[in-house]
Amino acid sequence: MDELRPYWMGCLDEPSRPVARPFGMKRSRLAVIALLASLCACGQSGAGPVPAVAGTETIVLPRAEQPKAHRPTLERLKREAASSGRPLEEVVKQYAARVAATSSPKPTDFEGYDPAVTDPDVVIDGIPYAELVDLGAIAKSEGISYEEAIDRFGSQSSNSRVIDKLNAEFPDEISGVRYVDDQRGLRVGFKGPIPTRAIELARTLPMEVTLIGGKGFSASELRRARDTVVSWLRSRPEVATMTAHSDEETGQIKVTVQPKMMPDDAEGFKRGLQLPQLDNPDITVEVTLSAESVAVRPQ
């Protein structure tokens, strides 16, 4: 899911790519991404408020004025769980099993198929059951109810389709997309003015959306600038290990370098790296020195 790519970019020198798996397998990409959002060691978590950043234009679409997620089957199952005194997760599981039992058989010839551990190939209110299973794991890891997990994370697959459209229609304008406020809101930045079409797409999301225009850089420019800096530092003989990530909120590339020999004059060492001049003055570089290895060795 590209909308959550900043979490990866904040932790790795190169963004990781999800591995495809057969539909209906036990683990889904949703759980991996949502858990990474809260557990990423770099501190660029998508949960919680994000400080305001410079921009010439801001449009906020309040959640109260956005469309509501339409989940009639899950609402019915909630009522059934409440009246029977059973956990909603158990009721959902039994419902999925009943639907799967009466549906046409699905292909089972993919590698690793095991009916004992493979979730029913069922979709409930637009959410694959495999993702609903993952939401149960997320609820436990986050210390929240299953109902709240569905409310907060249940729309991520459908949201992804809208975010994919934003990225596809404005590849040179998008400066970053990220979840905020415990996954209840979304922030979308633009290099220049906020496109009218982007507002139209944002109005289809069941959450508060903040659009920020005039940030002065795009995500693609930021990635290219990061790659330029990384490539240069990897060529420097005085660098033992290094890592870098780009901050799509601020347009800053944050680099940590472990010198082969820790200098007495840190600022002089940084100047001596002779970092390349970037094309976009709105993109800046911050270098921090570390006496310990930062894992990524120059090639």
Side-chain angles (χ1 to χ4, degrees):
M1 294 168 67
D2 290 342
E3 73 277 16
L4 290 171
R5 194 175 179 186
Y7 303 133
W8 278 108
M9 289 175 63
C11 299
L12 304 178
D13 197 35
E14 297 295 338
S16 176
R17 297 186 183 279
V19 178
R21 70 179 179 88
F23 182 83
M25 293 286 284
K26 185 72 173 177
R27 300 297 300 163
S28 81
R29 185 174 62 173
L30 173 64
V32 174
I33 291 174
L35 289 174
L36 279 171
S38 61
L39 298 177
C40 177
C42 64
Q44 297 291 324
S45 171
V50 176
V53 294
T56 59
E57 177 185 15
T58 300
I59 296 174
V60 179
L61 306 178
R63 185 177 186 181
E65 298 176 9
Q66 295 288 90
K68 307 296 183 185
H70 184 59
R71 297 173 182 150
T73 300
L74 284 169
E75 289 300 322
R76 176 170 59 80
L77 295 177
K78 284 182 185 179
R79 293 192 294 272
E80 181 181 330
S83 63
S84 65
R86 291 178 294 157
L88 175 60
E89 193 171 359
E90 176 187 320
V91 172
V92 169
K93 180 178 181 179
Q94 292 178 351
Y95 172 80
R98 291 197 303 271
V99 172
T102 58
S103 301
S104 300
K106 301 294 192 300
T108 58
D109 58 353
F110 55 79
E111 183 180 355
Y113 174 75
D114 181 350
V117 298
T118 303
D119 298 317
D121 193 356
V122 172
V123 177
I124 303 175
D125 291 339
I127 308 174
Y129 177 66
E131 292 187 5
L132 287 166
V133 172
D134 291 333
L135 290 176
I138 291 173
K140 293 179 178 66
S141 69
E142 295 288 318
I144 60 177
S145 69
Y146 187 53
E147 290 85 346
E148 184 177 350
I150 292 174
D151 179 57
R152 283 169 52 179
F153 301 104
S155 296
Q156 285 197 12
S157 290
S158 57
N159 294 346
S160 294
R161 291 189 285 273
V162 175
I163 293 167
D164 286 346
K165 288 182 182 179
L166 284 166
N167 283 312
E169 294 186 27
F170 309 103
D172 299 321
E173 284 296 314
I174 290 279
S175 67
V177 181
R178 65 188 296 153
Y179 284 104
V180 295
D181 189 23
D182 290 332
Q183 309 289 324
R184 294 185 181 89
L186 196 74
R187 286 171 69 94
V188 186
F190 295 90
K191 178 179 180 178
I194 301 170
T196 301
R197 169 61 174 161
I199 300 172
E200 293 174 358
L201 288 171
R203 289 193 186 281
T204 68
L205 295 168
M207 59 175 56
E208 179 168 295
V209 182
T210 301
L211 302 114
I212 303 171
K215 296 185 71 172
F217 62 91
S218 68
S220 58
E221 285 179 312
L222 193 57
R223 286 193 294 271
R224 287 194 298 269
R226 183 199 59 180
D227 291 345
T228 297
V229 171
V230 167
S231 179
W232 177 260
L233 288 174
R234 282 177 168 169
S235 72
R236 300 296 298 187
E238 65 267 57
V239 175
T241 63
M242 59 79 58
T243 188
H245 76 267
S246 45
D247 188 336
E248 294 181 347
E249 285 288 330
T250 64
Q252 186 175 69
I253 300 166
K254 298 183 179 181
V255 180
T256 302
V257 170
Q258 179 203 16
K260 288 185 177 176
M261 182 176 294
M262 201 66 182
D264 294 328
D265 181 2
E267 294 305 315
F269 180 88
K270 294 177 189 179
R271 289 192 297 270
L273 291 173
Q274 299 178 331
L275 293 175
Q277 185 72 33
L278 300 178
D279 295 333
N280 189 333
D282 289 310
I283 298 176
T284 60
V285 181
E286 178 187 88
V287 179
T288 302
L289 301 188
S290 171
E292 305 296 328
S293 171
V294 288
V296 182
R297 297 185 180 278
Q299 301 294 313

